[in-house]
Amino acid sequence: MPDAARPDLPPSFGVGQADQRIMLTTFLDEHRAAATAVLDGLTDEEARRSLVLSPTTVLGLVKHLTLVETIWFTELLLGSTRAELGLPATPAESFLLQDRDSVESVRHAHAEACARSRQAISGRALDEVITGHRFGPMTLGWILTHCIRETAQHVGHAEILREQILAARH
């Protein structure tokens, strides 16, 4: 973990010499935390606000990241089916908000999905080959790396939208 004398550093700075699994899971957990942090202090109306031409919203981005966690870990690693999980037909649909979606409900669903993801990788080796995905066989290490990339990308989008929302308050 980070040096206690440097509380300004994220946890990933404390794992620079750790094994690859610890590095990957620490980076992913940092991005997972950032995904829900973008919702902090936003009202439901603000989090639903569309500021770009696409249906992308801060709340929709976190909802999509819940789908990402569910597809890559619960569906692929635990063998649950899309029907059992109630997943949308396409990733694009996961950005769309329902009336029941709120900051708290989406935050809760994301936390549950991340907890299931951690459980799904428990005891698995990074070089374990996972089959059953439309892209073909891949290692757990690849899946973790892909999820870090996708989560970081969408958190960046959400942070920009959040900045616009907060700026509009003034």
Side-chain angles (χ1 to χ4, degrees):
M1 290 294 109
D3 183 336
R6 297 291 314 269
D8 57 315
L9 296 177
S12 58
F13 280 86
V15 297
Q17 295 180 19
D19 71 35
Q20 189 173 21
R21 182 190 188 88
I22 291 172
M23 284 188 234
L24 291 172
T25 57
T26 299
F27 273 105
L28 184 53
D29 280 341
E30 282 180 4
H31 292 306
R32 287 168 169 159
T36 55
V38 298
L39 298 171
D40 291 349
L42 297 182
T43 65
D44 286 340
E45 185 274 326
E46 289 171 327
R48 291 172 154 275
R49 191 173 297 156
S50 179
L51 300 169
V52 293
L53 296 177
S54 72
T56 304
T57 63
V58 175
L59 194 61
L61 284 160
V62 178
K63 185 176 177 182
H64 172 72
L65 287 172
T66 303
L67 173 79
V68 169
E69 292 281 342
T70 304
I71 286 174
W72 286 102
F73 298 106
T74 306
E75 180 185 30
L76 187 58
L77 296 179
L78 298 180
S80 299
T81 66
R82 284 179 176 254
E84 292 169 336
L85 296 168
L87 299 177
T90 67
E93 291 177 40
S94 68
F95 289 93
L96 304 177
L97 299 173
Q98 307 300 316
D99 289 342
R100 67 182 177 275
D101 292 327
S102 67
V103 167
E104 288 311 310
S105 71
V106 170
R107 184 189 308 269
H108 180 75
H110 184 261
E112 285 185 338
C114 292
R116 281 191 307 273
S117 296
R118 288 182 196 97
Q119 177 188 16
I121 67 169
S122 178
R124 293 178 181 261
L126 288 181
D127 61 354
E128 178 181 344
V129 176
I130 311 298
T131 59
H133 192 276
R134 63 186 170 94
F135 293 159
M138 59 194 66
T139 64
L140 177 59
W142 186 94
I143 293 167
L144 286 167
T145 302
H146 170 74
C147 289
I148 290 167
R149 183 204 57 80
E150 184 155 354
T151 304
Q153 174 186 346
H154 290 310
V155 167
H157 297 149
E159 287 172 341
I160 291 168
L161 295 176
R162 177 185 170 80
E163 285 179 25
Q164 292 176 316
I165 291 165
L166 295 177
R169 287 181 177 176
H170 304 308

